[in-house]
Every structure is written in C-alpha cells, then in structure tokens.
Amino acid sequence: MDRTTQLTARRTVHFDPVRPAASPPLTGQGETGRARTAVYDPARPAESLHARAARVLDGNWRGTSTVPSRSLYPHQWSWDSAFIAIGLRHLSPLRAQTELETLLDAQWGDGRIPHIVFNPAVPLDAYFPSPDFWRSSTAGRAAGAPGTVQTSGIVQPPVHALAVWLVHAADPGLSRSRSFLARMYPRLAAWHRYLLHRRDLGGGGLASVVHPWEQGMDNAPSWDAPLSRVTPAPARSFRRADLDHGAAEDRPTDLDYGRYVRLAADYRDGEYADGRHADAGHGSGGHGGGTRPGARGGGGGGGEFAVEDPAFNALLIASEHALARIARELGATGTARHARAERLTAALVDRLWDPAEGMFFCRDVRTDEPIPERGVSGLVPLILPTLPRETAATLVRTLRGPHFGLGDTTRLVPSYDLTGHAFDPHRYWRGPAWFNTNWLVERGLRLHGELAHAAGLRDALLDTADTSGFAEYVDPYTGEACGALGFSWTAALTLDLLHGTAHGAAHGRAEELGRDEEFRATETFGATETFGATEKFGEGALGGDLR
C-alpha cells in the first residue's frame, strides 16, 4: 500500500460512539450536583468540533483510564494521561481525577511514575515492549515496583502536578469532597524527589533521561549522537508491533529501535537502578544508587545514554510551581517549592541555554557537551514564568525564524529544525508537528505577552485538529494527518483550547485571552492566588511547605 492509500485509509476510521458502562458521565464541570445533559448526541448529523473531540475521548476510555489510541497504543501512557486529564476536566472533572488517580496508583516505591501502565486484558503481542519484556514485578522489586499491576520501568515528562492542579481548579468543590489534592500531593512530591535526586546524573541540578522514550520525543535527532554509542539489539530478538498500525516511513528506523530495545533491556537487567556514570566527569557524590557490577554500560541510568533535556526539565519546573499552589490549597505556604522552581529555572538557563543560537539545547551527560540540534524541546521553556525576559524574547524570534517558520512557513511548530540535516516532515519527531508541544508553546506565548502569535497558533491548532481527524501528528506545512487518528491528547487539548477561547469570549476579550494576570497564571502553570488560602484543611497536621 503506498503512502497516499495509507493516509486515505486512515482518514476513513470511524469511532464507536458507545460509552463503556463504567464511564463516569460526561456532564461538564458540574459533577457536584450540577449535572446537565450529555455533551454530545451521537445521532446528530453534524457534530461540532467540541462534540467530536469529546467522542474521541469517550471511545478511548477504558473504565478507569484513557488509551492514547485504540490500536497503536492500547495501554495507559504517563504523559498522555496528564494531557488527557487537562482536556477531560472540561467535560468530567470526576473522570479527569480518575485518570490521574489510576496512573499514580501504579507509582513505584522509589517515587517514579512509570511511562506505561499495562492493561492485563490486552494480548501480549498487541504492543512491544510488552509486560514480559519489562518484568517490573521482578526486575523492579528493589526499586519498589508495585506487585498488583505490570508497568514499564522508565518514566516520561513530569506534567502530572500541573495536570492535578488544573483538574482541581475545574471543580474545587468536587476535589475537596474527594480529598483529591490531599491524596495526590505526597505522590507528586515523591515523584519530584525521585527526579531531582536520583536523576541528577550530571550534577548540575537538572534531571536526566536515560532513554529516548522517557523524554517522549522518541527518535528526535537530538538523540542520534548519544544513541550512536549503543549497540543495537539484534533485529530477530524483538518484533515491532507499531509497524502493524503505522507506515514504516513515518516511524523510527529498525536501527534506532534496536538501540531503544538494548537500552531498555540493560536498564531492566540493572534492576532499574539509577546512578552517575563513573566516566561522566563530574566527580564523586550524587544521589544515585550506584551501578550494578557486571551490567552492560554500568547497569543503571547514566550509562551509555544520559541526557539533560530542556522540555523535560521545563515541565518539571512548571509542575514545581503547581505543587506550590497545591501546598497552599492544603494549608502550607508553598514558598519553598516556588523558590526551588526559580533555582531550577536558573540551572536550566545556565546549563542548556545558548544565547548565540537562540535555543535551549540538550546536554549529553556522558560527554558533558551540548547537543547542537534544534528541536521543539528547546522552545518548551517558554512555559516558565520566571524565564529571563530577553531569553523569552529570543525564543519567540527563533520560533518565527527560518528554523521553525511559525506563522510564515509552517502552520504549526515542527518538532525539528526545518533547515536541519535530519528534517523529515512525516517521520516521527524528526519534523512533524505534535499537538501537545504546540499546546505548550501556545501557552508560553500567552504567558509572555505574545497574544497575537498565541491566537494564530491556537486557531491553527483547532483547524488542524478538525481537518486531520484528531491525528497523532501532522505535516507541519500542510497539516496532513500522520500516525494514528482519533488520538486522545489531540482531542483533549482541542477541548482545552476551545474552553480557553470560550472563557475569553465570555469576558469580552476573545482576542486578548491571557492578558488578565490572574487567569493567565492559573491556566499556565498554576501560580495564581485564586484557590490559595480559601477553605484550608488539615493545616495543623500538614504545616510547613509540604516538602
């Protein structure tokens, strides 16, 4: 089947409108006695974009969590669920809370939130690597892997505290009645401790990823140099289930996939231990658990692959700000977490910012050198509220310049440099535009006062979601659909953009959305005082800053 036929076939996918019986009702923001009629009617001949996005999420709901897509990704993914919950809060705050609760129920004892929570009802051959590859309950026992559910052993970007705060803010009454924040806070705090201590492999205060899948942008060109050190697993040792559902020319190469498998297997065989690599050149000390003798590449994280990534750390910082807001809601001051977020922002600029190139670059921990590949990851720090003004202004110029071309050459922000040696408008993370990264950039533009550019990007996102069938990712020039259709985070973030537009229109400022400081801060990273000191509870027992 040629590419045109494949894309045409993908566009004819129909979504099952039947809601699973276990689904909490999609009744809008009033789950505490303010229920209204369902948000869509499957019998209507012409559905609105809002209704179609809701229908995608309903079709991908599995009773306690949402799959990214029904065929290609049949389990629960970590950062997907965070983005999904951000959209679901506009339809059902209860379901959004359930989404996050299900994910955090699979948290490991050392604090890590695994990147996949496996559904035992899904056949093993439906997705690779499957639970029998990760062996979480045995290989992860020393790290505290849960015994009641199978997971992967690696992580994904820490969007979760931001998602928890925004879901709480969608219906504070429901949240308080269910003690949602009180239950989520200690888990989120443990997650951040894991990243800030066990994963400070470079010694500079930033978290490192030990596998490209952890950063979420799986085969971005930024990984090519550090991956070149990895001997790939033999092709006969695994079967790529992803090629059953997507065009091979859109997906990572077999060589790259072999290296992913090797890295994951080595980390597993090292019992998922994290520790600084002896050759990293940063001296002794650190917070890792050391390396496991005899394991390939030193066993734990920081072996053959360890990278400090700007987007991963920017999301950690944004979530630190959100944790500060959660702490305030629970009766503490939150000042220590805001201060930590500011220190991390300074470390991010110090270690990863290149003013001459106008970009944040990844840093290879093994060589302690920057990786000079321009990717969308280097633009995501726009979401940070204390980013230096000139740094933010330079990022906007880079975003609109020849490397990314937003508003001139491209409809959406590409995942990689348009002028780069590895650019491909269709291959996974090597050029296509993704909805979650564009959503983050749109929020960053609003936060830093670039309202016209933010409005243009928001309009392009909504139009592309509509015309692409809520595609997983798209050609950045044309908006042509690539990957899976009916993709959950695309639908969820479409809803969030629609509700943001509606909020502005309701206040007579549709074109100035984000100018009001209180609203802008709430929606961007959770730093507003709106839900701060109201209805505190547990103050005496909690105290302090809830570290």
Side-chain angles (χ1 to χ4, degrees):
M1 183 183 295
D2 64 22
R3 177 168 177 75
T4 301
T5 306
Q6 287 170 332
L7 287 168
T8 302
R10 287 184 219 151
R11 289 196 183 99
T12 63
V13 172
H14 296 286
F15 302 110
D16 182 0
V18 177
R19 177 181 299 137
S23 301
L26 291 176
T27 55
Q29 294 188 11
E31 304 255 350
T32 52
R34 298 190 299 277
R36 60 175 185 260
T37 56
V39 297
Y40 68 87
D41 176 4
R44 277 191 303 179
E47 293 179 313
S48 68
L49 180 61
H50 185 285
R52 284 182 283 122
R55 188 153 63 100
V56 168
L57 294 179
D58 226 27
N60 290 346
W61 175 251
R62 291 297 175 266
T64 58
S65 65
T66 309
V67 297
S69 75
R70 288 190 286 180
S71 57
L72 185 55
Y73 305 105
H75 302 285
Q76 183 179 25
W77 262 258
S78 172
W79 75 326
D80 290 73
S81 278
F83 289 120
I84 289 164
I86 288 169
L88 275 176
R89 68 190 170 121
H90 301 296
L91 302 176
S92 170
L94 176 58
R95 191 187 289 191
Q97 291 180 27
T98 302
E99 183 83 37
L100 295 167
E101 289 163 352
T102 300
L103 178 67
L104 268 68
D105 280 346
Q107 186 172 23
W108 289 28
D110 64 3
R112 81 183 74 193
I113 297 174
H115 98 295
I116 301 175
V117 180
F118 290 106
N119 180 350
V122 173
L124 288 179
D125 62 358
Y127 184 82
F128 179 84
S130 52
D132 57 341
F133 173 89
W134 295 103
R135 305 172 202 162
S136 61
S137 59
T138 53
R141 184 180 296 119
T148 56
V149 63
Q150 293 294 310
T151 76
S152 65
I154 60 175
V155 303
Q156 276 192 322
V159 198
H160 311 90
L162 175 61
V164 165
W165 174 252
L166 293 175
V167 167
H168 161 79
D171 192 336
L174 174 69
S175 176
R176 292 172 188 139
S177 72
R178 301 184 70 246
S179 300
F180 177 62
L181 293 185
R183 290 183 292 109
M184 293 295 101
Y185 186 91
R187 300 181 184 190
L188 294 168
W191 169 222
H192 285 210
R193 280 196 301 273
Y194 169 78
L195 294 174
L196 292 170
H197 295 280
R198 305 285 295 185
R199 287 299 189 88
D200 181 12
L201 304 177
L206 301 180
S208 294
V209 296
V210 300
H211 195 291
W213 289 340
E214 292 199 311
Q215 194 269 354
M217 304 177 193
D218 299 11
N219 69 324
S222 296
W223 315 137
D224 290 354
L227 273 178
S228 68
R229 297 190 292 264
V230 178
T231 302
R236 65 182 180 277
S237 67
F238 60 92
R239 177 185 175 277
R240 295 184 57 180
D242 63 315
L243 296 182
D244 294 340
H245 306 286
E249 60 267 31
D250 289 353
R251 306 292 297 175
T253 65
D254 287 342
L255 176 61
D256 284 339
Y257 217 90
R259 287 170 168 152
Y260 305 153
V261 172
R262 171 71 72 185
L263 274 177
D266 290 347
Y267 193 36
R268 175 201 65 202
D269 294 345
E271 296 183 352
Y272 299 111
D274 296 300
R276 235 179 253 178
H277 195 283
D279 297 330
H282 298 289
S284 60
H287 310 281
T291 56
R292 178 176 166 82
R296 180 181 180 87
E304 292 164 300
F305 186 99
V307 175
E308 293 173 350
D309 174 76
F312 192 98
N313 281 279
L315 290 168
L316 175 59
I317 295 166
S319 280
E320 272 291 305
H321 281 297
L323 268 184
R325 295 305 317 122
I326 295 171
R328 285 186 60 86
E329 174 69 12
L330 294 175
T333 66
T335 54
R337 290 207 173 273
H338 277 313
R340 183 179 295 116
E342 291 181 7
R343 290 195 301 271
L344 287 168
T345 301
L348 183 74
V349 173
D350 179 62
R351 289 185 65 77
L352 305 185
W353 174 245
D354 187 328
E357 298 294 336
M359 281 293 295
F360 284 92
F361 289 126
C362 294
R363 178 173 289 272
D364 188 338
V365 171
R366 180 75 180 267
T367 64
D368 197 27
E369 295 291 335
I371 302 171
E373 297 283 4
R374 294 180 179 87
V376 68
S377 173
L379 302 172
V380 170
L382 271 173
I383 66 172
L384 299 179
T386 60
L387 196 67
R389 184 182 300 272
E390 181 53 35
T391 302
T394 301
L395 277 178
V396 173
R397 289 195 293 271
T398 300
L399 174 65
R400 295 183 55 76
H403 298 292
F404 295 93
L406 184 64
D408 181 19
T409 308
T410 59
R411 292 169 57 111
L412 300 179
V413 185
S415 51
Y416 179 63
D417 182 359
L418 299 173
T419 70
H421 67 97
F423 177 77
D424 183 329
H426 290 162
R427 191 176 289 278
Y428 216 62
W429 292 109
R430 300 178 84 87
W434 292 71
F435 286 81
N436 64 331
T437 53
N438 274 264
W439 179 85
L440 290 166
V441 170
E442 190 269 346
R443 294 171 77 83
L445 288 169
R446 269 195 286 136
L447 174 65
H448 292 284
E450 299 286 347
L451 303 182
H453 298 325
L457 179 54
R458 183 175 65 247
D459 291 345
L461 277 164
L462 292 173
D463 180 66
T464 305
D466 189 8
T467 58
S468 71
F470 303 101
E472 181 181 2
Y473 53 101
V474 299
D475 184 306
Y477 295 115
T478 66
E480 176 187 11
C482 301
L485 296 186
F487 201 72
S488 289
W489 79 26
T490 304
L493 298 177
T494 295
L495 288 169
D496 193 63
L497 291 169
L498 287 170
H499 277 261
T501 304
H503 184 287
H507 290 76
R509 49 188 173 87
E511 295 306 314
E512 297 182 315
L513 183 61
R515 181 161 294 174
D516 180 273
E517 292 298 324
E518 182 177 283
F519 174 71
R520 187 178 72 190
T522 305
E523 290 298 294
T524 302
F525 60 91
T528 185
E529 301 298 313
T530 303
F531 299 102
T534 58
E535 298 188 28
K536 297 180 183 178
F537 55 91
E539 187 167 357
L542 294 169
D545 279 307
L546 299 174
R547 295 184 182 88

